Amino acid sequence: MSIFKVGRTDGHDYDEYDAVIVRAGNETGALELVLTSPGHWLYDGKPMRGFKADGSNATVTRVVEDGPAEIVLSSYNAG
């Protein structure tokens, strides 16, 4: 398993996700987790709020263990 950052390629609004860190076997699995997991207490069978069901507004990036110290994700979209 690897760690992946799944991020939005479009803008975002209040009460929407713009990025998620997940553990998965590959990029496809990482995107599938985001598109099929309840990410909010109002889960209605749709992807985490803000992500399109077909994944067309998402990118998947593998987070590698080696490299410089850095913040991997800081996401603040309170509404």
Side-chain angles (χ1 to χ4, degrees), residues 42-58:
L42 292 175
Y43 181 63
D44 52 8
K46 297 180 181 176
M48 297 178 100
R49 291 181 183 263
F51 286 96
K52 294 182 180 178
D54 64 359
S56 62
N57 69 335

Side-chain angles (χ1 to χ4, degrees), residues 14-32:
Y14 295 116
D15 300 329
E16 288 186 345
Y17 292 88
D18 65 297
V20 184
I21 298 290
V22 301
R23 181 179 313 134
N26 56 37
E27 290 87 352
T28 302
L31 182 58
E32 184 177 324

Side-chain angles (χ1 to χ4, degrees), residues 2-78:
S2 296
I3 302 293
F4 296 93
K5 180 179 87 170
V6 181
R8 298 258 307 268
T9 58
D10 57 358
H12 55 78
D13 205 346
Y14 295 116
D15 300 329
E16 288 186 345
Y17 292 88
D18 65 297
V20 184
I21 298 290
V22 301
R23 181 179 313 134
N26 56 37
E27 290 87 352
T28 302
L31 182 58
E32 184 177 324
L33 276 171
V34 171
L35 300 182
T36 61
S37 298
H40 192 273
W41 65 273
L42 292 175
Y43 181 63
D44 52 8
K46 297 180 181 176
M48 297 178 100
R49 291 181 183 263
F51 286 96
K52 294 182 180 178
D54 64 359
S56 62
N57 69 335
T59 59
V60 181
T61 307
R62 184 170 182 265
V63 178
V64 296
E65 293 181 22
D66 56 344
E70 63 181 332
I71 295 173
V72 174
L73 176 66
S74 179
S75 179
Y76 181 79
N77 302 302

